Amino acid sequence: MQVLHMNKGNGDTSYAKNSTVQSKIISVGKPIMKEAVLEMLCNNVIESMGIADLGCSSGPNSLSVISEIMDTVEAANRLLGRRLVSEFRVFLNDLYSNDFNNIFMSLPAFYDRLKEEKGLECESCFILGAPGSFYGRLFPTNSLHFVHSSSSLHWLSQVPAGLESNALKRLNKGKLYISKSSPQSVVDAYLLQFRNDFSLFIKSRSRELVAGGRMVLSFMGRSSTDPTTENSCYQWELLAQAIMSLAREGRIEEEKLDSFNAPYYAPCTEEIKDEIQKEGSFTIDRLEAFEIDWDGGAVTDIHTPHGKLSVGRRVAKAIRAVVESMLQSHFGIQPDVMDDLFIRYGDIVGTHLSKSRTKYINLVMALTKKW
């Protein structure tokens, strides 16, 4: 929690400039989100609608979901000929180190669009920051009606126990995450950390949502029960290869690679259902799996030299915008070495994708609070 944040600002390596994949994921989940909002409004008039976007990050995606929710509410108003929601209370949540300044600076333009495109005055929409970890309580009891989270819940609250950088024994040498060569103890440690974190997330939201409130959650997962499948872990495998190439040249300490494990887990649907059913206060309305291209689906002929280079660079920039803070904290990499690392990573990714179009699996689920 102390070091994980997306790259700040609006520079070439910033998250704001390299979040096309996350935008695609939001787009894929929009029909499920709209359906959840409409079902919630079907028999309810809400004086003040509490909305939380958990893991909002910064950049152009941050407020797009909020705008979409408001559009859906306004469409329902027109369809039924009455106003179902009088005002919106919007909470934007991420870790303390998130670039909230970037979001807040975009709010005047956002309020202007609300007035011009939706006829909403800023007095009917209150947007606030809510810094902190969503693995625990963030909001008062029964204060929320709708919770959204996209591209966030695959991040764990911490590196699994026994795999921390200061652990006495290196259980996952040469790797950054679960891989085909990882011992079963590593796989078990990751699954246990996910179960603990996701259970705490569900319990916390259960307290904060009103009865009948909805959640739409979208995060990286996998289609197989096997956590070593390519679509759940191979981006980390290739990044480890790039780091190892620098370690062989003495530019990065190999021991540092052996002691790094990503606080990340891509669950399968069975693992998610187990935790929701154990907690007991939510029903699962929808649970869908979608394939997402590593580069967000840009039209490129990957089999040409230029196409391979272009795709590899896009993927490398997207991954760098997300993981650079962790790598910098752990490895202490100088800027020129970091640049070289992601050039190599882009080359490795481009070569891999020209042979095998590995895709991410994105899980989207809609939940209803029972009581």
Side-chain angles (χ1 to χ4, degrees), residues 244-257:
M244 184 60 78
S245 73
L246 289 172
R248 285 193 293 265
E249 298 171 9
R251 301 175 69 192
I252 289 179
E253 295 178 44
E254 187 171 338
E255 190 279 335
K256 289 277 191 179
L257 173 58

Side-chain angles (χ1 to χ4, degrees), residues 134-178:
F134 49 51
Y135 294 122
R137 291 291 300 276
L138 288 165
F139 309 104
T141 302
N142 297 331
S143 62
L144 300 177
H145 298 85
F146 192 84
V147 169
H148 175 268
S149 181
S150 184
S151 299
S152 297
L153 275 163
H154 44 256
W155 293 111
L156 301 172
S157 67
Q158 63 179 61
V159 174
L163 301 178
E164 304 96 329
S165 59
N166 60 355
L168 295 177
K169 189 175 181 181
R170 306 304 186 205
L171 300 177
N172 204 25
K173 295 183 71 171
K175 305 297 178 181
L176 303 175
Y177 179 58
I178 297 169

Side-chain angles (χ1 to χ4, degrees), residues 5 21 64 78 117 121 132 141 146 153 175 182 196 206 209 215 217 266 274 298 302 313 316:
H5 61 79
V21 173
S64 65
R78 291 193 297 271
E117 299 173 9
E121 298 294 337
T141 302
F146 192 84
L153 275 163
K175 305 297 178 181
S182 297
N196 290 340
S206 172
L209 276 160
M215 283 202 297
L217 311 176
D274 283 348
I302 187 66
R313 284 179 175 174

Side-chain angles (χ1 to χ4, degrees), residues 176-242:
L176 303 175
Y177 179 58
I178 297 169
S179 75
K180 293 287 186 184
S181 63
S182 297
Q184 187 61 39
S185 59
V186 170
V187 177
D188 293 343
Y190 269 102
L191 177 56
L192 178 60
Q193 187 64 51
F194 169 76
R195 283 176 170 165
N196 290 340
D197 283 346
F198 192 63
S199 174
L200 183 54
F201 177 90
I202 294 296
K203 287 176 183 176
S204 300
R205 304 296 82 79
S206 172
R207 297 285 303 279
E208 296 162 354
L209 276 160
V210 300
R214 298 309 205 271
M215 283 202 297
V216 174
L217 311 176
S218 176
F219 49 101
M220 297 298 186
R222 62 184 197 270
S223 54
S224 167
T225 56
D226 178 6
T228 68
T229 54
E230 280 196 358
N231 63 24
S232 70
C233 65
Y234 212 63
Q235 71 274 25
W236 294 104
E237 187 81 11
L238 300 183
L239 183 55
Q241 290 178 22

Side-chain angles (χ1 to χ4, degrees), residues 350-361:
T351 299
H352 169 73
L353 292 179
S354 68
K355 298 173 183 177
S356 173
R357 287 296 273 177
T358 308
K359 296 176 185 285
Y360 295 126
I361 300 298

Side-chain angles (χ1 to χ4, degrees), residues 71-121:
D71 282 346
T72 304
V73 172
E74 290 304 305
N77 289 341
R78 291 193 297 271
L79 182 66
L80 298 177
R82 58 195 175 101
R83 182 158 289 282
L84 301 172
V85 177
S86 299
E87 66 182 22
F88 298 92
R89 292 174 288 112
V90 179
F91 302 97
L92 302 177
N93 158 261
D94 214 306
L95 295 175
Y96 297 105
S97 54
N98 183 59
D99 189 0
F100 283 101
N101 284 340
N102 184 285
I103 302 176
F104 296 152
M105 289 172 66
S106 69
L107 286 179
F110 180 76
Y111 285 128
D112 287 344
R113 287 197 301 275
L114 287 185
K115 185 173 183 179
E116 293 170 8
E117 299 173 9
K118 301 175 179 51
L120 289 173
E121 298 294 337

